[in-house]
Structure formats: C-alpha cells, structure tokens
Amino acid sequence: MSGGSAVVGLGSNGVLGTSTVVFNGGTIRSTDATARTISNAIGTLTGNVTFGATTVQTGTLSFTNTTAASLGTAVRTLATNVDTTFANGFSGTGGINKTGLANLTLNGASTYTGVTTVTNGILTVGAGGTLGSGDVSVLGTAISLTILTGAGNVIADTATLTLAGGTTFGLASLGADVNEVVGGLTLTNLGAQAPGTYGSSLSTATFKNDFYFSGTGVLTVVPEPSTYAAAIGALLLAVVVFRRRRAASVQS
C-alpha cells in the first residue's frame, strides 16, 4: 500500500495472499459492508493509514497476525472509519495518533516509545494489549481511552495520562477490576493530580470524578521513584537534626 491516495479494497479474506503488508499511506477497506479478516504480518509503517470508508465499504477490519509491526520513527495517524482490531503490538520510536469516529482496538503488547494520542472516537485496549512507554493523551474531540476488564499495565508506570474530560468526551473508561498504574495524571482545567486512586462515582477510587472517568475500574497515580528518594532523604535529615539538637540540649 503506497501513497496517501492509494486504496486497497478487500473482496475476500485471503485476497492479499501470505506476503507481508507494508503501509506507506493510503486506505485499506472492504469492498462492501462485509467484515474482513487479514492474517498477513504487517511491516514497518512509513505513512498514515485510513481503515474503511464511511459509506458502502463499511465492513469491519480485523488484523489477526500477532507479529509486532514497527511504527518507525514518526507518530503515525491511524484513522478508523470502521471498527478495526489489531492482534499485534507495535514497536519503534514513533507513536500513534488515533483519529476517525470508529473504534480502534489493540490486543497486542506494544513496545513503541513515542506518545499515544486519542484525537477522535475510542481507542480500546484489550487483555494482553499495551500502549508502549510514552505519555498518553485523550483530547476533548475524542470519546475515550477504554481499558477492558482483563487488561493490565496498559500505560507505562512512568508515563503521564492527560484527560480533557467532558462527561461524554475525553474520558478514561476503566473496566471492572482494572487498576491501571501511571506515573502522572493531568486533568484539563484541574492540572496535575496528587498520588492516589482516581475513577468514576461507580468505582472504589478515593477521588471520584465522572467528568473524566467512567466504568468501575481504578487509576492509581504513584510518584516517581525520585520523589520517594527525596522524601526519605528529607525525613532522615530531619531525624539527624533532631538528634543533634537533643544531644546539645542534654550536654548544656
């Protein structure tokens, strides 16, 4: 698939044979409303890709090969006009910008180091899926980042999650029993949040806010290790100073 205007229409599930599919840009879609399954491995993405069409060619797309695909060194825009699912993870130093109103579901473990941005629609992460090590943002033009029950460590523990919020937009939707750990949480209009647990009014979180969260799962914000070290260092220093003052008081 080459070029921003290239279109690959899938009239059957096996039409691409067994070769590796390389996305250099363009659109891949069903030729009609029939769902298509693509079992080919995916090579390095060197361009932005659109999945499906908004009319006629509206069949959903499912990529079932589990071999990781590289994003290369750039942020790749994945635009979903139809619900699209990847069994594979993504690697590389690039990132993902999810656009389009349909759902994008990632079920593979990713190791890419760039950012993840949800600009439109829903980005869903299923059991076994992760988003790499970069920061994650859900914009006010998107519906949500959805983490399904059974998924764990979707966002890197050192990454920051930023939510635009809006009750029905810009949310983190957390499935039952999800406890997602992040290094930082920024809520638009409220700023950076303190360590603790966050979620909707249906969750067991300490800090509940339906403007930014939905579902019954929990997001746990933990301080960076350097923060712990600084706190311990300050405590030890306070103990030393206290002991010296006490000893001086006794001697006098």
Side-chain angles (χ1 to χ4, degrees):
M1 245 177 74
S2 180
S5 60
V7 177
V8 174
L10 306 176
S12 64
N13 289 338
V15 69
L16 296 179
T18 58
S19 60
T20 297
V21 175
V22 177
F23 292 126
N24 297 325
T27 299
I28 183 168
R29 56 172 173 72
S30 176
T31 55
D32 51 31
T34 305
R36 302 297 181 197
T37 298
I38 302 96
S39 59
N40 306 67
I42 301 171
T44 300
L45 280 73
T46 59
N48 302 323
V49 186
T50 298
F51 300 92
T54 55
T55 60
V56 184
Q57 298 93 4
T58 57
T60 60
L61 301 174
S62 179
F63 294 84
T64 60
N65 195 294
T66 58
T67 302
S70 176
L71 297 169
T73 59
V75 174
R76 306 299 179 190
T77 295
L78 306 182
T80 53
N81 290 320
V82 300
D83 289 348
T84 303
T85 302
F86 286 94
N88 60 278
F90 292 90
S91 61
T93 57
I96 291 176
N97 176 31
K98 190 276 180 211
T99 66
L101 299 181
N103 192 20
L104 173 63
T105 300
L106 304 180
N107 290 325
S110 292
T111 59
Y112 62 90
T113 57
V115 299
T116 302
T117 303
V118 188
T119 300
N120 304 116
I122 301 172
L123 175 58
T124 298
V125 184
T130 62
L131 294 179
S133 59
D135 292 340
V136 179
S137 298
V138 184
L139 305 186
T141 50
I143 296 175
S144 70
L145 166 66
T146 296
I147 300 177
L148 299 180
T149 298
N153 203 28
V154 169
I155 303 170
D157 292 353
T158 55
T160 294
L161 173 64
T162 299
L163 300 174
T167 307
T168 56
F169 292 94
L171 302 172
S173 178
L174 308 173
D177 299 324
V178 167
N179 186 355
E180 185 64 32
V181 176
V182 296
L185 173 65
T186 298
L187 304 178
T188 300
N189 299 323
L190 297 180
Q193 301 300 293
T197 57
Y198 295 78
S200 77
S201 58
L202 300 176
S203 73
T204 59
T206 301
F207 304 102
K208 298 178 173 65
N209 195 325
D210 292 337
F211 193 78
Y212 298 96
F213 297 94
S214 65
T216 59
V218 170
L219 183 84
T220 299
V221 181
V222 297
E224 293 286 343
S226 58
T227 304
Y228 280 122
I232 293 173
L235 178 61
L236 291 175
L237 178 61
V239 171
V240 170
V241 171
F242 173 77
R243 287 180 175 177
R244 286 180 177 176
R245 288 179 176 175
R246 184 178 182 182
S249 176
V250 171
Q251 292 174 358
S252 61

